[in-house]
């Protein structure tokens, strides 16, 4: 583009700049005139992040930034494009904008920028209900990311955020849960608004509960995002997660009535009961010392409130899911458990472990005293 045309354009744009942004715009003109591309990119990103710059973003991108796009960092170029696209009239125009942007940066040297733009396009396709198109773009982005040794965190964050939205739309709760947590690991939680944090905590909690592949909520229970539900209308959901984690049937019975307030939980009531029963079983095994984990079906029935004729199915389910390891004596109706899946412990469970360690310490001392008494003079001082 002719520099004189660009200079005239900038002069026209300057007349429409709000007074508080005049200084910033003059700096933009100065850096462009001096061809300080790196500094120009930084000040443009800062300028575009100012709410008052909104009306100028698209014109500046189309008639100014594109004129030197090859001279600046391509990832930053896409960042400016994403900020500009917020001013498109609708998602159809925005998708067309992103498609053009994607083509422009699809080069061997700027594959990170290509992924960033491609993920943005897939996010728009999701909003337009083009799930197949979004999935294709996300698969392409993932295959490229897998070949990178390292990439900017913002690219990974955008990918995991959009991937999570795709799996949420497909009701694949396990995959959504994984990608949503990976997204949160890539960002500063302080950057989320309280409303957004609460919404993500709510969606993650629902996904953890209704997923048939998630039986250990440790990562979510320890995540600070969950605290955003405290003292809100959804605080019961946080309590329900902790009840599931410790296999607390009494707490579940108290909180169960709240599930009617969450359509997905209401639809999965039967499954939730099966899941809390499995959690109660693993908790019952965990509370027992390793040498006392041969449990009768009758004992398990009392611990889990599951009917005796359903106990064998419950144990087999736990074994198949990898929650327990052991064997079943069908004739004697005894389950011999030798391993239970580790999980996050609350204070009550930690206290139970403390008491078990004290018992173990006492047993070791008794064994030592017995050996010492039996050996008598054999032991040397």
């Amino acid at each position: 583009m002719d520099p004189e045309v660009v200079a005239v354009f900038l002069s026209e744009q300057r007349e429409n700049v709000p007074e508080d942004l005049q200084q910033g715009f003059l700096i933009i003109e100065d850096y462009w005139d001096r061809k300080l591309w790196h500094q120009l990119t930084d000040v443009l990103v800062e300028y575009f992040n100012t709410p008052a710059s909104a009306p100028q973003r698209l014109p500046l991108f189309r008639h100014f930034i594109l004129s030197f796009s090859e001279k600046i960092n391509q990832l930053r170029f896409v960042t400016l494009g994403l900020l500009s696209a917020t001013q498109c009239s609708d998602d159809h125009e925005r998708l067309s904008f992103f498609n053009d942007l994607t083509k422009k940066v699809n080069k061997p040297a700027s594959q990170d920028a290509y992924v960033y733009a491609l993920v943005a396009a897939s996010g728009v396709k999701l909003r337009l209900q083009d799930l197949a198109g979004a999935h294709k773009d996300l698969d392409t982005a993932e295959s490229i990311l897998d070949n990178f040794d390292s990439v900017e965190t913002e690219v990974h964050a955008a990918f995991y955020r959009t991937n999570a939205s795709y799996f949420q739309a497909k009701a694949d709760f396990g995959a959504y849960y994984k990608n949503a947590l990976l997204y949160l690991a890539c960002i500063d939680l302080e950057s989320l608004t309280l409303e957004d944090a609460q919404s993500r905590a709510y969606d993650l909690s629902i996904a953890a509960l209704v997923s048939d592949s998630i039986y250990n909520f440790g990562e979510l229970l320890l995540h600070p995002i969950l605290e955003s539900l405290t003292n809100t209308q959804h605080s019961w959901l946080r309590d329900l997660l902790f009840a599931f984690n410790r296999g607390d049937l009494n707490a579940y019975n108290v909180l169960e009535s709240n599930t009617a307030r969450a359509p997905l939980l209401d639809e999965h009531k039967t499954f939730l009961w099966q899941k809390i029963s499995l959690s109660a079983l693993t908790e019952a095994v965990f509370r027992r010392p390793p040498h006392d984990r041969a449990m009768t079906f009758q004992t398990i029935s009392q611990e889990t409130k599951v009917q005796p004729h359903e106990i064998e199915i419950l144990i087999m389910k736990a074994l198949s899911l990898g929650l327990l390891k052991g064997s079943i004596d069908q004739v004697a109706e005894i389950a011999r458990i030798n391993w239970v899946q580790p999980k996050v412990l609350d204070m009550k469970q930690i206290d139970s472990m403390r008491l078990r360690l004290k018992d173990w310490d006492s047993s070791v001392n008794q064994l030592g005293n017995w050996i010492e008494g039996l050996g008598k003079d054999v032991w040397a001082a």
Side-chain angles (χ1 to χ4, degrees):
M1 188 177 293
D2 189 340
E4 290 187 12
V5 174
V6 175
V8 171
F9 169 77
L10 290 176
S11 178
E12 292 172 350
Q13 287 294 307
R14 192 191 322 123
E15 296 177 3
N16 301 319
V17 173
E19 187 175 344
D20 57 330
L21 295 182
Q22 284 284 342
Q23 183 62 33
F25 200 87
L26 289 172
I27 293 173
I28 289 172
E29 290 186 274
D30 178 52
Y31 285 161
W32 172 76
D33 190 50
R34 295 161 61 191
K35 296 181 173 55
L36 299 176
W37 307 121
H38 175 71
Q39 293 88 335
L40 176 58
T41 306
D42 287 343
V43 77
L44 277 168
V45 171
E46 182 181 351
Y47 187 85
F48 274 35
N49 274 306
T50 306
S53 70
Q56 292 183 299
R57 291 173 196 165
L58 272 176
L60 281 172
F61 187 86
R62 287 171 170 157
H63 303 292
F64 176 54
I65 295 172
L66 283 176
S67 69
F68 57 84
S69 61
E70 301 294 333
K71 297 180 174 66
I72 64 175
N73 180 286
Q74 294 298 279
L75 190 59
R76 303 281 275 175
F77 170 60
V78 172
T79 299
L80 289 168
L82 301 189
L83 291 168
S84 301
T86 59
Q87 301 308 302
C88 290
S89 58
D90 57 34
D91 277 335
H92 292 285
E93 181 189 350
R94 192 170 291 110
L95 181 57
S96 177
F97 180 89
F98 284 149
N99 285 338
D100 291 340
L101 184 63
T102 301
K103 292 174 185 176
K104 191 165 183 61
V105 295
N106 187 12
K107 302 170 186 175
S110 57
Q111 287 294 284
D112 55 344
Y114 173 63
V115 168
Y116 201 22
L118 192 63
V119 167
S122 68
V124 178
K125 289 178 181 178
L126 282 178
R127 292 198 295 273
L128 294 173
Q129 300 303 307
D130 180 11
L131 298 187
H135 185 231
K136 181 181 178 181
D137 288 348
L138 289 168
D139 277 351
T140 300
E142 184 173 25
S143 65
I144 296 172
L145 286 173
D146 286 344
N147 292 321
F148 279 136
D149 292 328
S150 63
V151 69
E152 292 293 333
T153 306
E154 61 191 300
V155 178
H156 265 135
F159 171 74
Y160 289 131
R161 182 183 65 244
T162 308
N163 218 25
S165 297
Y166 169 76
F167 286 118
Q168 188 175 32
K170 295 288 287 184
D172 187 339
F173 303 110
Y176 164 76
Y177 180 85
K178 173 187 174 182
N179 281 273
L181 282 176
L182 285 170
Y183 164 65
L184 293 176
C186 292
I187 65 168
D188 179 3
L189 291 182
E190 296 296 325
S191 66
L192 296 177
T193 64
L194 179 59
E195 183 180 347
D196 193 17
Q198 290 174 350
S199 175
R200 293 188 180 281
Y202 178 87
D203 290 341
L204 273 166
S205 300
I206 297 294
L209 290 168
V210 302
S211 171
D212 60 3
S213 61
I214 301 171
Y215 289 85
N216 190 332
F217 311 142
E219 194 170 359
L220 178 57
L221 295 178
L222 293 174
H223 204 289
I225 194 84
L226 198 59
E227 294 304 314
S228 65
L229 295 180
T230 305
N231 299 322
T232 68
Q233 61 177 334
H234 301 307
S235 59
W236 60 270
L237 197 52
R238 178 181 178 278
D239 297 336
L240 188 61
L241 281 171
F242 278 96
F244 266 80
N245 185 64
R246 62 178 182 269
D248 191 336
L249 292 168
N250 292 327
Y252 175 76
N253 290 332
V254 171
L255 295 165
E256 184 184 12
S257 60
N258 290 293
T259 58
R261 297 157 60 182
L264 276 173
L265 294 185
D266 202 37
E267 291 173 19
H268 291 78
K269 271 190 174 181
T270 301
F271 173 72
L272 289 176
W273 173 251
Q274 295 170 350
K275 199 166 188 175
I276 190 69
S277 299
L278 285 166
S279 185
L281 172 61
T282 58
E283 180 63 20
V285 174
F286 174 78
R287 286 198 303 265
R288 292 170 173 265
H291 62 271
D292 186 26
R293 288 181 174 173
M295 303 172 67
T296 65
F297 285 13
Q298 184 62 36
T299 299
I300 294 174
S301 179
Q302 292 171 355
E303 293 276 4
T304 63
K305 304 296 188 291
V306 173
Q307 295 299 315
H309 67 276
E310 297 178 340
I311 292 301
E312 187 175 344
I313 296 175
L314 179 70
I315 299 170
M316 291 175 66
K317 182 74 171 175
L319 292 172
S320 68
L321 290 169
L323 304 178
L324 302 173
K325 291 181 182 179
S327 60
I328 303 174
D329 186 333
Q330 294 173 306
V331 177
E333 294 192 337
I334 293 175
R336 295 182 172 85
I337 310 300
N338 52 45
W339 181 87
V340 59
Q341 185 185 70
K343 59 182 176 180
V344 172
L345 306 180
D346 61 20
M347 294 306 295
K348 185 177 179 181
Q349 291 168 312
I350 291 173
D351 187 58
S352 173
M353 180 174 282
R354 180 183 66 84
L355 294 175
R356 281 167 49 194
L357 285 171
K358 286 182 66 177
D359 290 342
W360 174 80
D361 182 58
S362 177
S363 297
V364 170
N365 284 330
Q366 289 176 11
L367 179 62
N369 292 334
W370 177 77
I371 292 175
E372 185 178 354
L374 194 64
K376 294 183 180 178
D377 295 337
V378 175
W379 299 103

